[in-house]
Amino acid sequence: MNISPNFKDFYKYMVPIYSPQNKIPVKGYGSKIWVQDGRDYIDFAGGIAVNALGHCNPALITALKEQAEKIWHLSNLYTNEPALCLAKKLVKTTFAEKVFFCSSGAEANEAALKLARRYAYKFFGSQKNIIISFKKSFHGRTFFTVNVGGKNKYSKGFGPSPIGIIHAEFNNINSVRQLINNYTCAVIIEPIQGEGGINVAKHSFLENLCYLCKKYNALLIFDEVQCGMGRIGKLFSYMHYNIKPDIVTLAKSIGCGFPLAAMLTTNKIGKVFSLGVHGSTYGGNPLACAVGNIAFDVISNKEVLNGVKTKHDLFKNHIKRINLEFDIFQEIRGIGLLLGIKLNKNYINRGRDILKLAFENGLMLLNAGNNVLRLAPSLIISNEDIEEGMKRFYKTIKVLKKKN
Ligand SMILES: *Cc1c(COP(=O)(O)O)cnc(C)c1O
């Protein structure tokens, strides 16, 4: 069959859960993308915090090609070299002693939550099963993780929900105190809420949260799917806060665009995932882990991590300068290259419109909720691409201001 794909095919052949921009990207390099008609775009979205080393990174291409000529898939009846290397690197550089690989953020969180339930079940009994999560949080779209997430819009309308999940207020330790007790088996939190609007957890809040978890023997799960892997200028967010969680979940940037995810934990907790208790067909896939190994080596490089901090300042200065002229942003928040720009009151619910307008002006942006713009570019985006992208951002805001 000879098929020439065309944008209209999207609405004709795909289930309508997405509404993508109206041009089809066909090629990418670094932080630039080209669409079918050849026009270029600057990418400040990074595939939603996934393309941490840009598009078509030569080192990643080599890793993928070399592995593609060795072995693709084995199943978990066998182990493989790339998975063992990556697991060893993750253990050597973090609090973790054990690793579970899978292919998506939701799957990593699903594993973490099942592990926490299992751990409580084994050591404390079946009555200890309550999971505390936070309002506005996002943990994925599987049936369990979407209910753990703090957005009703995503979880309601699918019949009966799984029980044993309650939600506290982010950055409000009293709201946790009111809910936590000996029946709590785990608390799951994004140290920086991504989808919820780039909300940064306060140091004191996470410290108190950690204390409460210890007091009630509840496991502390950090969902670092979006804010981990160098995104905030440290290899992992828990290092920025200097807090030791019991479980960390990773996805997005860990594979830099190749589907890969991981759950990290300690020996003591990991042990309850004994033979046959959990699994995943693609978990630890050699192709994914081969890419993950090189991604890890590059991202954990000090120069790359320090670069994230410098680029943060560069982005922030540009945004501030644009705001001096147009006065449409209320707040710039976030750490490293996970940035949120809160729009002021006159622009509430315009998030999606602005993404469209930016795209028309040659720029890929993200939103997080409807009044926060989000930037999650490549960690190694060049200064020239930042400059060019900011010119296009300036144009976008100028047009927006005229229209309003
Ligand atoms: C994206 C995201 C997920 C879900 O990851 P998928 O790979 O889409 O399943 C979970 N948690 C956080 C914090 C995320 O940003």
Side-chain angles (χ1 to χ4, degrees), residues 104-106 109 138-140 190 223 225-226 252:
S104 73
N109 285 329
F138 183 79
H139 300 294
E190 297 160 82
D223 177 346
V225 167
Q226 188 155 162
K252 295 203 162 99

Side-chain angles (χ1 to χ4, degrees), residues 290-327:
V291 173
N293 266 290
I294 302 302
F296 184 91
D297 292 347
V298 178
I299 292 172
S300 57
N301 186 304
K302 266 213 174 73
E303 257 171 63
V304 170
L305 293 174
N306 288 335
V308 170
K309 290 171 200 155
T310 336
K311 291 177 204 299
H312 169 97
D313 294 338
L314 204 54
F315 270 103
K316 212 165 177 178
N317 291 340
H318 276 291
I319 299 163
K320 277 185 183 159
R321 196 175 41 78
I322 292 171
N323 202 35
L324 270 182
E325 186 167 337
F326 299 111
D327 189 29

Side-chain angles (χ1 to χ4, degrees), residues 176-336:
V176 180
R177 271 193 203 107
Q178 280 163 13
L179 297 176
I180 199 166
N181 56 38
N182 286 324
Y183 296 106
T184 311
C185 74
V187 176
I188 182 167
I189 188 163
E190 297 160 82
I192 299 164
Q193 288 188 332
E195 302 303 308
I198 314 299
N199 306 312
V200 180
K202 293 190 193 110
H203 276 266
S204 59
F205 172 68
L206 287 187
E207 275 159 19
N208 286 321
L209 190 63
C210 188
Y211 167 81
L212 286 175
C213 283
K214 284 215 170 70
K215 182 171 167 188
Y216 292 102
N217 287 312
L219 299 183
L220 180 58
I221 305 169
F222 273 13
D223 177 346
E224 297 208 24
V225 167
Q226 188 155 162
C227 63
M229 282 309 290
R231 175 77 29 206
I232 72 164
K234 291 264 186 192
L235 196 46
F236 299 106
S237 290
Y238 81 86
M239 295 170 173
H240 168 81
Y241 286 98
N242 205 13
I243 281 168
K244 188 182 146 314
D246 298 295
I247 300 173
V248 167
T249 55
L250 303 169
K252 295 203 162 99
S253 293
I254 192 178
C256 285
F258 204 97
L260 174 63
M263 179 197 69
L264 313 181
T265 191
T266 61
N267 275 328
K268 188 176 167 210
I269 299 164
K271 215 164 55 185
V272 303
F273 261 7
S274 53
L275 189 60
V277 166
H278 192 62
S280 163
T281 293
Y282 285 123
N285 171 278
L287 287 170
C289 290
V291 173
N293 266 290
I294 302 302
F296 184 91
D297 292 347
V298 178
I299 292 172
S300 57
N301 186 304
K302 266 213 174 73
E303 257 171 63
V304 170
L305 293 174
N306 288 335
V308 170
K309 290 171 200 155
T310 336
K311 291 177 204 299
H312 169 97
D313 294 338
L314 204 54
F315 270 103
K316 212 165 177 178
N317 291 340
H318 276 291
I319 299 163
K320 277 185 183 159
R321 196 175 41 78
I322 292 171
N323 202 35
L324 270 182
E325 186 167 337
F326 299 111
D327 189 29
I328 87 159
F329 309 140
Q330 209 179 108
E331 191 191 356
I332 308 163
R333 58 199 188 203
I335 312 178

